[in-house]
Amino acid sequence: MAHITLLGDSIFDNKSYVGANGKDVITHLREFLPDDWQAILCAVDGNVVENVSGQLLKAPPETTHFFISVGGNDAIMNADILGMKANSSAEVFDVLSNRASDFEFQYREMLKKVLSRNLPTAVCTIYYPRFPDPVLQKIAVAALSSFNDVIIRQATLNGIPILDLRLICSENDDYANEIEPSSKGGEKIAGKILEVMKNHNFSNKRPSIYF
């Protein structure tokens, strides 16, 4: 019997954003799973990478698989880069590089703690926002590339699968607002988690991207 534990932020803990009649990720996932499989939500809306270690302590001992979606709030905390005034593009890239390096340290340490449980683990990229201002949207997508590069690199180095949410949640109605998944988006995410569970060979330690 598989027991999936979801760690991270509001990408998984999106109940507050789907409305009274909408379903969040964990509800969709539980409906998709075979009868003898279970899933639990330890992810918390608003949490950042450093909070995952605390979530890990609450993971039930029967956990067989971890899925992690975190980093979006870390990126939001660095949103000042989007409006940064600089004398040259080199200044902006220097600041972005430093922020990404800090994020990589935190993400690497987080992943190390999760993987110390010696259980199959998968991670998610940070999906693109849906800002109505096309210029802001373009800048945000470009800046997020540095954070997603960290996630993909760390997953690759550790040989774990990646759910690329940038491609999974690719339509406007996959979003409840500018940055949160809707019931439809949550359904897509849950379906992809199930696909990874059924198709990925965690024992070969080869990273694969699911989208």
Side-chain angles (χ1 to χ4, degrees):
M1 182 179 71
H3 194 301
I4 302 166
T5 294
L6 304 182
L7 304 172
D9 56 28
S10 59
I11 299 302
F12 289 155
D13 184 25
N14 68 321
K15 181 63 177 176
S16 300
Y17 306 101
V18 297
N21 298 319
K23 297 177 182 178
D24 55 354
V25 171
I26 192 66
T27 300
H28 282 301
L29 182 58
R30 287 169 176 162
E31 291 180 352
F32 290 160
L33 294 180
D35 291 339
D36 58 344
W37 288 20
Q38 296 183 36
I40 187 170
L41 178 69
C42 286
V44 178
D45 182 11
N47 275 195
V48 295
V49 169
E50 289 183 328
N51 298 131
V52 173
S53 57
Q55 297 175 16
L56 192 60
L57 297 176
K58 299 176 182 179
E62 59 266 33
T63 297
T64 61
H65 295 75
F66 287 115
F67 282 77
I68 308 168
S69 183
V70 72
N73 290 316
D74 298 79
I76 290 172
M77 291 170 63
N78 288 280
D80 59 298
I81 297 174
L82 303 184
M84 177 181 168
K85 293 183 179 180
N87 295 318
S88 70
S89 58
E91 286 186 38
V92 177
F93 284 122
D94 182 59
V95 172
L96 183 58
S97 177
N98 290 335
R99 303 284 184 92
S101 294
D102 292 341
F103 177 68
E104 181 148 28
F105 173 78
Q106 295 167 356
Y107 198 91
R108 182 175 61 245
E109 293 303 303
M110 175 276 294
L111 200 54
K112 189 185 301 182
K113 290 179 181 178
V114 176
L115 295 177
S116 70
R117 296 291 184 95
N118 295 314
L119 294 175
T121 299
V123 300
C124 300
T125 61
I126 305 167
Y127 65 17
Y128 297 143
R130 279 295 189 272
F131 294 131
D133 181 344
V135 175
L136 179 59
Q137 176 70 14
K138 184 165 61 174
I139 295 171
V141 167
L144 278 175
S145 297
S146 295
F147 290 84
N148 278 316
D149 182 60
V150 165
I151 295 171
I152 294 170
R153 179 165 54 250
Q154 289 302 315
T156 300
L157 289 171
N158 287 282
I160 58 179
I162 303 160
L163 284 73
D164 196 336
L165 298 187
R166 298 171 298 181
L167 300 176
I168 295 169
C169 295
S170 58
E171 301 174 290
N172 287 336
D173 57 355
D174 292 334
Y175 295 74
N177 56 34
E178 294 174 346
I179 59 173
E180 307 293 353
S182 65
S183 181
K184 178 187 172 184
E187 182 178 12
K188 287 184 175 182
I189 294 168
K192 201 57 59 173
I193 291 172
L194 181 61
E195 180 182 333
V196 173
M197 289 292 297
K198 288 185 172 181
N199 297 332
H200 190 75
N201 182 2
F202 286 92
S203 63
N204 68 14
K205 299 295 182 182
R206 292 182 179 178
S208 298
I209 295 181
Y210 291 83
F211 59 90

